[in-house]
Amino acid sequence: MHSEPFYDPAKSYLDNFEHGPFGLFANTSASFPAKPTRHQFLGHPVDAPFGIPAGPLINGKFVKAALDMGFDIPVYKTVRTRRQACHPWPNVLAVRVAGDLKPDQTLVAGSEYSEPLSITNSFGVPSFDPDFWQPDMADAAAYARPGQVVVGSFQATLPENGSAAAYLQDFRLGARLVKETGVKVMEVNLSCPNEGTANLLCFDIARSRQVVEAIKEEIGSLPLVIKMAYYKDQDQLQAFVREVGGAVDAIASINTIAAEVRDVSGRQALPGEGRLRSGVCGSAVKWAGLEMASRLARLRAELGMKFAIIGVGGAGSAAAFDEYRRAGADVVMSATAAMWNPRLAQEIKGQAHEL
Ligand SMILES: Cc1cc2nc3c(=O)[nH]c(=O)nc-3n(C[C@H](O)[C@H](O)[C@H](O)COP(=O)(O)O)c2cc1C
């Protein structure tokens, strides 16, 4: 049913980094013909409005393999302005969820990756220094063929001595460094920790707006995507979009949804402090991604805004791609399902009705 994943959870992050990608992503070549394109993504023609969101494409080799396999909008994993180590292995575990992930549900982890596929991932957004990732991202971005666009994702690092000004400065620096690579589209991860609070940055509307304005000052007309978490509260989402939606070119949503993950004996599944709760993605969060796509589409129309909507979360089939497009997503992306199904983009191009 599933292929060998291109990122192997049984191996360490560094092993994947050095020796991956695996399975069908291992020896790809740009063998499919360049196609006349019917779609646009933020001013760039794309063959299909489908891609892989920030995360599983951990370096340029992974991005190039994704391009070769027909994922026309691959996102180069979220980077930082300085090196950051990865959380201890394991970083990916299968989780058993019957149907949709529910609020405050405790999940049981395992190593059997079966349909309907849901996983938890916990990396801590590791990064190499810009000395490594800038030339690597530049090389991957330049590899895109006509009808393909590589997106560069980044986030800021919380300063050790806790200063909101330093945090904002780090967003500016990150934006400058990513721009220097020549990527045609930039994504900032706002579903990341917020300086001085225990909540995610995207739940702090004033700070999110400040961050977006600072980045825009740095990058000028380069299109900016923001990555947002699932919002429970409609008033809060509306306030966010009203404040920030006019300043960005696209909103990608959702990121993972946090849940408690234990092993079969009830012990914490991922080792180390702060890892009892970790991000869940895949099939169990599709409902939340679809819901956000349609809520964002409604708000965009109500507020007369223009941002593109990138639907993310459990989009693991041509039927799911269609559901996202009908819900209002302009572009659809899959992380978890694509990891285990390297042919997903080709399947969507062959089978989806909403192309
Ligand atoms: C292995 C892995 C690593 C991820 N790393 C990041 C990341 O660095 N930055 C980010 O914004 N999202 C990251 N994500 C979240 C995905 O971009 C996506 O929002 C989430 O997995 C939901 O999509 P899915 O159900 O298709 O997996 C990661 C997801 C996976 C599976």
Side-chain angles (χ1 to χ4, degrees):
M1 168 196 39
H2 287 302
S3 307
E4 187 188 339
F6 64 70
Y7 180 99
D8 185 354
K11 296 184 169 69
S12 73
Y13 180 73
L14 284 181
D15 204 355
N16 273 281
F17 203 94
E18 281 169 23
H19 304 295
F22 300 102
L24 284 180
F25 265 39
N27 290 299
T28 59
S29 61
S31 50
F32 59 92
K35 283 230 185 104
T37 53
R38 283 176 292 162
H39 300 273
Q40 290 279 320
F41 173 57
L42 305 181
H44 299 286
V46 288
D47 184 19
F50 185 70
I52 297 181
L57 304 175
I58 58 178
N59 62 34
K61 285 185 292 177
F62 285 72
V63 172
K64 288 179 177 180
L67 290 165
D68 284 347
M69 294 299 283
F71 293 89
D72 294 327
I73 314 176
V75 184
Y76 189 109
K77 161 200 189 311
T78 308
V79 292
R80 299 172 181 268
T81 60
R82 65 192 92 146
R83 192 181 173 89
Q84 170 127 338
C86 186
H87 285 340
W89 183 89
N91 304 101
V92 172
L93 294 171
V95 287
R96 286 177 224 148
V97 192
D100 294 346
L101 180 69
K102 292 161 206 73
D104 303 320
Q105 192 177 355
T106 296
L107 302 179
V108 178
S111 54
E112 208 184 303
Y113 297 92
S114 53
E115 291 286 0
L117 180 64
S118 294
I119 63 172
T120 185
N121 83 76
S122 167
F123 290 84
V125 192
S127 182
F128 284 80
D129 277 321
D131 282 356
F132 169 80
W133 63 252
Q134 275 196 303
D136 190 49
M137 189 184 280
D139 182 45
Y143 187 79
R145 290 155 58 85
Q148 301 189 313
V149 184
V150 173
V151 180
S153 162
F154 77 104
Q155 71 181 55
T157 304
L158 295 179
E160 268 160 38
N161 55 2
S163 142
Y167 186 51
L168 197 61
Q169 250 343 89
D170 200 44
F171 273 109
R172 282 185 185 272
L173 176 59
R176 275 205 299 280
L177 293 170
V178 173
K179 186 182 181 191
E180 281 169 12
T181 68
V183 286
K184 292 184 177 141
V185 176
M186 182 181 297
E187 177 174 292
V188 61
N189 183 17
L190 297 185
S191 29
C192 62
N194 183 15
E195 178 53 44
T197 79
N199 234 328
L200 299 181
L201 174 56
C202 59
F203 297 131
D204 181 337
I205 298 172
R207 179 75 62 78
S208 293
R209 185 177 167 133
Q210 244 184 347
V211 164
V212 163
E213 282 173 352
I215 294 170
K216 282 304 250 185
E217 269 175 37
E218 298 295 334
I219 68 173
S221 60
L222 189 67
L224 178 65
V225 181
I226 54 172
K227 177 81 174 280
M228 277 171 70
Y230 174 72
Y231 270 60
K232 282 195 194 104
D233 187 278
Q234 181 63 12
D235 290 344
Q236 197 189 12
L237 181 64
Q238 184 175 30
F240 181 95
V241 174
R242 197 185 288 280
E243 280 296 302
V244 183
V248 301
D249 299 281
I251 298 180
S253 186
I254 58 171
N255 210 307
T256 58
I257 296 182
E260 214 173 280
V261 181
R262 296 183 179 275
D263 66 17
V264 278
S265 340
R267 286 185 295 256
Q268 180 174 330
L270 291 161
E273 209 187 312
R275 292 179 88 201
L276 175 59
R277 288 174 72 78
S278 53
V280 176
C281 44
S283 169
V285 305
K286 187 177 110 186
W287 68 271
L290 277 173
E291 192 195 292
M292 279 292 278
S294 62
R295 288 161 70 192
L296 286 168
R298 223 176 307 127
L299 284 169
R300 177 174 63 182
E302 279 167 22
L303 298 169
M305 289 182 172
K306 290 199 173 70
F307 58 83
I309 296 167
I310 304 178
V312 188
S317 64
F321 172 89
D322 285 341
E323 278 183 84
Y324 265 98
R325 292 273 287 179
R326 282 187 218 112
D330 302 286
V331 168
V332 185
M333 293 190 180
S334 162
T336 304
M339 281 165 76
W340 272 267
N341 181 5
R343 294 198 181 89
L344 183 58
Q346 289 158 33
E347 283 175 19
I348 284 169
K349 288 175 185 184
Q351 298 165 17
H353 301 291
E354 301 291 329
L355 267 173

